[in-house]
Amino acid sequence: MVFEVNATELRWEMSRILGQVQHGKKIAVIAMHGKPIGAIVPMEDLHRIWEKQDDETHGERDPETGKRPSVLMTKYGIWSDALAARIRRVKEMGE
């Protein structure tokens, strides 16, 4: 459940609002002059947000191993082993 709280109310009622977020698993949207400027969310929600950001940045985890693909895979679309093989071939051609 989401509820809105203005910045002044937040200042005076911080403990009550944090209690609602913590125990009620609610999200407090903070508004200033009637416009939303931020939110207070339960830690479980924040962990889900961070995990999603990690998946977007570093690739999704392999369900079997729990490992993420290499940075090269997510950045350049190739596996690090494939890149290493390419580099070896280029070096061999140059020698």
Side-chain angles (χ1 to χ4, degrees), residues 3-23:
F3 66 99
E4 188 172 296
V5 58
N6 65 45
T8 304
E9 182 185 359
L10 177 65
R11 183 180 331 152
W12 296 108
E13 299 289 332
M14 178 68 89
S15 294
R16 180 184 61 80
I17 292 165
L18 289 176
Q20 285 182 316
V21 171
Q22 180 183 12
H23 301 297

Side-chain angles (χ1 to χ4, degrees), residues 5-94:
V5 58
N6 65 45
T8 304
E9 182 185 359
L10 177 65
R11 183 180 331 152
W12 296 108
E13 299 289 332
M14 178 68 89
S15 294
R16 180 184 61 80
I17 292 165
L18 289 176
Q20 285 182 316
V21 171
Q22 180 183 12
H23 301 297
K25 306 297 183 207
K26 298 177 181 178
I27 297 173
V29 175
I30 304 162
M32 189 174 263
H33 304 294
K35 295 182 181 177
I37 60 167
I40 302 173
V41 299
M43 284 306 295
E44 297 85 24
D45 292 354
L46 185 58
H47 286 296
R48 279 198 302 271
I49 291 167
W50 285 341
E51 186 68 27
K52 185 170 175 63
Q53 286 176 339
D54 281 349
D55 288 348
E56 290 172 359
T57 305
H58 304 293
E60 292 187 18
R61 292 183 185 272
D62 183 316
E64 292 179 13
T65 64
K67 294 183 179 180
R68 296 185 190 279
S70 71
V71 173
L72 294 172
M73 173 59 188
T74 57
K75 190 170 183 180
Y76 301 108
I78 54 175
W79 292 100
S80 57
D81 293 341
L83 180 62
R86 252 196 210 163
I87 291 170
R88 280 195 298 275
R89 282 195 304 268
V90 169
K91 284 183 178 179
E92 289 170 359
M93 291 171 48

